[in-house]
Amino acid sequence: MAGNLFDSTIFGDAAHALEFIGGVLQASTEYSIIGLGFDGTILLWNEGARRLYGYEPEEVVGKANYAILHTPEDIQTDAPHKVLAAASKSGKWEGTVPRRHKNGRQFIARVVITPRREASGKILGYLLISRNISQEIRLTEERQTELDARTLAETALRDSEARYRIVAETATDAIISFDEAGKILFVNTAAERIFGYVVAEMLQQSLTLLIPGSLTVHDNPAGTRKSVDEQKYVYSPAVELSGRHRDGHLIPLEVSIGEYRQHRVRIFTAVVRDVTERKHAEEQVHYLAHHDALTGLPNRVLFRDRISQMIAQARRNRQRMAVLFLDLDGFKYINDSLGHQVGDELLRGVAERLRTCLRQGDSIGRLGGDEFVVSLPIYEEGRDAVSIAEKILTALWEPFQVGQEELHVSGSIGISLYPTDGEDAEALMRAADSAMYYAKEKGRNNYQFFTPRLNDVAQRRQVLVNRLHHALSRDEFTLVYQPLVELNGGKIFGGEALLRWHRPDVGLVLPSEFIRVTEETGLITAIGEWVLRQACGQLKQWRERGYLNLRIAVNLSSEQFRRPGLFDLVVRILRDSGVPAVALDFEITEGVLMEQTPENIEILRRLAGIGIQLAVDDFGTGYSSLAYLHRFPIDSIKIDRTFVHRMVQDANDSEIVSAIIAMAGRLKLGVIAEGVESAEQADFLRAQGCRAAQGFYYHEPVSAQAFGALLDEQSVRFS
Ligand code: C2E
Ligand code: CA
Ligand code: CA
């Protein structure tokens, strides 16, 4: 057993040993190859060893300690033991050292010692490869000064190549040697498998071909310079780098680099392991450990992580952030009565809708059961949290279709703010959680802040939102119409439809108090549709009474442009009500134009294409630039009433108004002056060449019936 070349205690893997050592050993007279037990006992002794050290295998195998190869001086300083210890510590020991022949003669040898380990890491023994280089050293010393670095590199290379061939070719890791400039001097065949090139293609190439730009060999990768000089060979700990395969794809690698110095030349050797599979497995495990299997959302662990990151960022930027804790109302009942499958399906649906409520940079997670959490940076005091909470409640409002069931759920949301309510993830989640319970107590389907002061403000808003949710179905909206008149003579040529809300508990509510909230919650989509239908239906009636030239203007919120399907909706409503598009005006804000998204431009083109006239509302308050108007199919502008109000007293405002009117004329745009309240204002506008107006001086907004009466009266007057 002892001395058997294929002894698996030496090579760890007998099959590997069989494959290569046999051949190499038979032939190798130049290399002494010696196998050692963990304590240095000689277990294997080849022909090269016999020639180099003079002992017959029978004399030493199983009988002697490898210390007999050392000089007496070495033995005195305990070098044999130290060398083995160094090899086990850094994975390899290499040195140019004095050695002793059986006959007592000393010579200089290159010695490489590599430890052999069990899978557990326990040392089984060592492989010791040595070669007599006394001759070379003499030669080298004589010629050293003449030799340039390049020749030295080649000498060093020959030396290292031979050394590697024994161990390198069987390795599953790629082994790549390169010089200080990064030129590849040696690669083994395992590199072919990893990088897709054949060896010949890699030799002499830059290492960056395989590992782009990540190795700086000039930094001593092995640690301090001192250790390099002492040992001449040191390994750096493994680092993770990206390699590039011949076909271009990136390969995750684990690379350890050794630096070997021979004379003045530095040769580096990288042991490169392809860790693709391991990475993949790690990612899989990581994903499973951090996500909720049902919804695919981050789980508690990952979410807490995200909050912590967000907090760190908020702290750096002196920003605030919010955590929203959502618990579904009545979920337990659904789950118990309809079964887990329905419950699961519902949770998936909820997760889906929650995702659509978030902005970039917001984060969402499921904590388990029917509990979800959202965290978001706050740019405006408390506001973002409110609008997201409202968006979520609104998103849940629509029933969920699960199989045959139409399920209605609502949610209760608790909100905590950083840093007011807590400075770390744990504290913020606790605060949001308790605020959520408060929301449940308040009757569900609402949100509550952890900080009581904010609750008051939020609560009034919430009542508003809740009421708005019902306003459509309870028929609480009406439209009033404000006449648009010709400045010369005051003839009514059209009307602007304006929304009114008759709130049962409060009375009449004007749009300024609720339009913004409907935009923020998305309710504007449904309300806007109602307005359009209503206005078109009304227009149809007036047309039937003979007012075929009457134009009706409808306000469109920029929020309505953001949702898909606006154009199709308009077409459908026009068809349903039987009103020609040319009788309809849309009033849009400068914001819609300024956004200039391809979608917005496209919708505007298509609306104009079917004959709808487009007016820019509140002109002058936004970006006040006529210059960009020609890029859009705009027909007219409405000068904002603030300019009209001030123009008579304020020279600046009067100049703005005349400039707008003049430029609009040049751009062939119609102009309507809004908010005309006096004869003086009307005169001024007329003098500037403005031809249309709207304002209390002429008419206040009136009911459809009253508007009809005005038309009738006028047709008598003007006929
Ligand atoms: P707007 O489009 O600028 O509508 C004109 C507003 O000016 C109306 O207020 C009208 O009552 C008021 N107004 C008219 N003449 C005078 C005047 O001589 N002096 C003064 N001080 N005010 C005058 P209202 O009806 O309260 O509407 C306010 C805003 O709400 C509207 O401004 C519009 O932006 C928005 N809005 C109204 N209805 C709708 C709607 O159906 N959809 C959308 N998206 N927004 C609407
Ligand atoms: Ca308007
Ligand atoms: Ca306006």
Side-chain angles (χ1 to χ4, degrees):
M1 179 67 189
N4 181 346
L5 299 182
F6 314 121
D7 186 343
S8 63
T9 60
I10 294 169
F11 285 97
D13 180 338
H16 269 155
L18 256 175
E19 221 172 72
F20 76 101
I21 291 287
V24 174
L25 263 185
Q26 298 305 334
S28 182
T29 51
E30 192 186 349
Y31 285 89
S32 145
I33 299 174
I34 302 171
L36 304 177
F38 68 93
D39 57 354
T41 315
I42 295 170
L43 299 175
L44 183 148
W45 192 260
N46 82 334
E47 173 62 16
R50 195 183 71 81
R51 289 199 189 184
L52 190 59
Y53 294 101
Y55 296 94
E56 295 298 327
E58 306 82 65
E59 285 180 88
V60 286
V61 170
K63 296 185 180 129
N65 189 285
Y66 98 114
I68 61 164
L69 314 178
H70 287 250
T71 62
E73 295 77 22
D74 266 4
I75 292 169
Q76 221 153 43
T77 57
D78 201 21
H81 176 250
K82 280 184 188 158
V83 162
L84 290 190
S88 6
K89 189 152 169 267
S90 40
K92 185 169 243 178
W93 181 89
E94 177 164 345
T96 305
V97 285
R99 283 289 181 262
R100 205 167 67 107
H101 192 267
K102 185 183 175 186
N103 64 18
R105 234 180 38 233
Q106 291 189 10
F107 58 93
I108 304 294
R110 280 297 301 168
V111 178
V112 182
I113 302 179
T114 33
R116 300 283 133 192
R117 294 173 191 277
E118 256 179 8
S120 69
K122 190 178 150 228
I123 300 271
L124 289 169
Y126 302 86
L127 191 64
L128 185 152
I129 301 168
S130 44
R131 191 161 64 89
N132 184 349
I133 58 161
S134 305
Q135 187 81 8
E136 285 169 30
I137 287 188
R138 253 195 314 281
L139 275 176
T140 312
E141 278 168 357
E142 281 162 17
R143 287 194 301 172
Q144 182 148 21
T145 45
E146 303 158 28
L147 290 175
D148 63 15
R150 196 188 148 79
T151 353
L152 279 171
E154 274 161 13
T155 315
L157 170 63
R158 220 183 311 121
D159 185 38
S160 42
E161 254 195 89
R163 176 164 44 2
Y164 290 137
R165 218 152 263 155
I166 298 182
V167 280
E169 289 306 332
T170 57
T172 50
D173 295 344
I175 296 174
I176 308 169
S177 290
F178 51 98
D179 65 14
E180 220 158 334
K183 190 170 77 181
I184 296 172
L185 306 172
F186 169 87
V187 312
N188 66 349
T189 43
E192 297 186 339
R193 231 176 9 255
I194 295 178
F195 294 103
Y197 296 97
V198 298
V199 167
E201 291 173 307
M202 295 183 273
L203 286 175
Q204 303 294 314
Q205 298 303 310
S206 163
L207 183 65
T208 53
L209 175 74
L210 308 179
I211 307 177
S214 26
L215 293 176
T216 40
V217 296
H218 299 284
D219 307 337
N220 173 6
T224 65
R225 173 59 59 86
K226 186 164 153 272
S227 67
V228 172
D229 284 344
E230 271 169 10
Q231 289 199 339
K232 306 254 167 152
Y233 204 107
V234 180
Y235 261 113
S236 68
V239 290
E240 293 198 346
L241 295 170
S242 280
R244 191 183 292 285
H245 189 270
R246 182 185 198 150
D247 67 17
H249 80 262
L250 293 178
I251 319 155
L253 301 174
E254 195 175 84
V255 181
S256 42
I257 300 168
E259 179 181 338
Y260 163 63
R261 292 194 139 221
Q262 176 151 339
H263 316 302
R264 297 199 311 266
V265 182
R266 300 166 79 188
I267 305 280
F268 300 87
T269 301
V271 177
V272 178
R273 177 164 301 173
D274 179 349
V275 291
T276 307
E277 257 167 58
R278 197 189 77 201
K279 280 268 167 221
H280 189 71
E282 277 171 9
E283 274 162 22
Q284 195 95 13
V285 169
H286 187 271
Y287 183 86
L288 292 175
H290 290 87
H291 290 83
D292 162 38
L294 181 66
T295 61
L297 292 176
N299 66 8
R300 185 185 289 271
V301 177
L302 180 56
F303 188 76
R304 193 184 300 117
D305 228 51
R306 296 238 169 114
I307 297 190
S308 300
Q309 278 170 21
M310 214 179 262
I311 290 175
Q313 198 178 352
R315 185 174 298 138
R316 266 198 310 279
N317 302 343
R318 295 174 190 286
Q319 242 177 12
R320 299 158 60 79
M321 60 158 286
V323 174
L324 274 63
F325 209 102
L326 166 75
D327 191 283
L328 299 181
D329 302 325
F331 177 74
K332 191 173 160 358
Y333 173 76
I334 290 173
N335 215 27
D336 291 349
S337 57
L338 299 174
H340 289 286
Q341 237 162 357
V342 173
D344 284 357
E345 204 49 51
L346 178 61
L347 288 174
R348 263 195 288 266
V350 168
E352 210 38 65
R353 286 201 195 161
L354 288 180
R355 279 198 186 98
T356 64
C357 293
L358 300 192
R359 307 157 307 178
Q360 202 168 9
D362 297 347
S363 210
I364 182 172
R366 178 175 172 234
L367 300 183
D370 58 344
E371 289 180 347
F372 295 87
V373 262
V374 173
S375 62
L376 44 115
I378 288 184
Y379 303 107
E380 219 184 302
E381 181 74 18
R383 284 225 29 82
D384 315 56
V386 166
S387 51
I388 297 276
E390 280 170 354
K391 247 196 198 152
I392 290 174
L393 294 180
T394 304
L396 297 178
W397 193 259
E398 290 280 307
F400 288 86
Q401 189 70 41
V402 177
Q404 301 299 318
E405 307 284 343
E406 192 171 84
L407 302 176
H408 292 262
V409 287
S410 57
S412 299
I413 298 178
I415 306 173
S416 63
L417 299 176
Y418 167 86
T420 335
D421 305 332
E423 300 227 344
D424 58 45
E426 236 21 86
L428 284 173
M429 279 165 77
R430 249 198 329 271
D433 191 18
S434 60
M436 186 273 292
Y437 277 101
Y438 186 45
K440 289 257 183 211
E441 274 171 27
K442 284 263 157 177
R444 311 180 163 211
N445 190 33
N446 74 114
Y447 58 87
Q448 295 295 327
F449 279 94
F450 182 73
T451 309
R453 187 179 52 81
L454 284 171
N455 265 333
D456 298 340
V457 183
Q459 226 153 358
R460 251 171 292 147
R461 224 181 114 85
Q462 230 172 79
V463 174
L464 185 68
V465 172
N466 264 329
R467 295 288 148 81
L468 277 169
H469 271 302
H470 297 287
L472 262 187
S473 58
R474 293 185 187 158
D475 228 7
E476 294 170 1
F477 290 121
T478 51
L479 288 183
V480 292
Y481 296 86
Q482 184 173 30
L484 306 171
V485 302
E486 290 168 5
L487 266 167
N488 281 319
K491 185 177 183 214
I492 298 172
F493 64 90
E496 177 177 3
L498 295 163
L499 189 59
R500 295 291 178 266
W501 179 21
H502 302 275
R503 197 175 140 180
D505 52 340
V506 177
L508 181 69
V509 187
L510 290 175
S512 56
E513 286 178 56
F514 66 89
I515 286 285
R516 184 166 166 189
V517 174
T518 64
E519 288 175 341
E520 283 164 1
T521 51
L523 279 168
I524 189 67
T525 316
I527 295 174
E529 180 175 346
W530 179 88
V531 168
L532 195 54
R533 257 184 211 290
Q534 187 72 15
C536 287
Q538 187 59 61
L539 177 57
K540 173 75 177 167
Q541 285 183 27
W542 286 325
R543 289 176 62 84
E544 279 167 357
R545 275 161 59 183
Y547 299 112
L548 291 172
N549 291 326
L550 182 72
R551 322 194 45 78
I552 288 295
V554 171
N555 292 284
L556 281 190
S557 147
S558 60
E559 205 53 42
Q560 288 171 275
F561 277 87
R562 292 212 184 96
R563 326 237 155 181
L566 176 64
F567 179 77
D568 295 341
L569 178 74
V570 171
V571 170
R572 204 169 340 116
I573 290 176
L574 285 173
R575 204 183 45 219
D576 292 350
S577 54
V579 164
V582 289
L584 194 62
D585 291 1
F586 281 155
E587 298 192 1
I588 59 176
T589 59
E590 286 174 276
V592 172
L593 303 185
M594 288 313 289
E595 272 181 28
Q596 294 204 17
T597 60
E599 291 82 11
N600 280 1
I601 295 173
E602 175 65 14
I603 293 180
L604 291 176
R605 291 242 160 83
R606 293 171 76 190
L607 290 173
I610 60 171
I612 292 176
Q613 304 229 345
L614 301 173
V616 182
D617 209 349
D618 305 340
F619 190 84
T621 55
Y623 306 90
S624 305
S625 161
L626 280 163
Y628 64 84
L629 287 183
H630 72 270
R631 283 185 237 147
F632 302 96
I634 298 298
D635 300 286
S636 60
I637 55 180
K638 297 183 79 174
I639 304 178
D640 192 69
R641 59 180 175 273
T642 52
F643 298 108
V644 174
H645 289 176
R646 293 185 310 222
M647 69 188 173
V648 181
Q649 301 93 339
D650 188 320
N652 194 33
D653 284 314
S654 73
E655 232 167 86
I656 291 175
V657 170
S658 11
I660 292 176
I661 293 169
M663 284 187 69
R666 246 171 279 142
L667 291 168
K668 307 227 174 352
L669 295 173
V671 181
I672 300 176
E674 283 189 328
V676 178
E677 291 181 352
S678 67
E680 214 183 347
Q681 290 166 350
D683 290 342
F684 181 90
L685 290 163
R686 215 177 286 117
Q688 300 300 321
C690 180
R691 288 207 285 266
Q694 173 183 9
F696 296 165
Y697 173 66
Y698 296 98
H699 304 276
E700 298 208 2
V702 295
S703 68
Q705 200 192 4
F707 189 86
L710 285 173
L711 293 177
D712 293 343
E713 179 198 317
Q714 163 176 295
S715 68
V716 175
R717 227 171 1 119
F718 284 92
S719 57

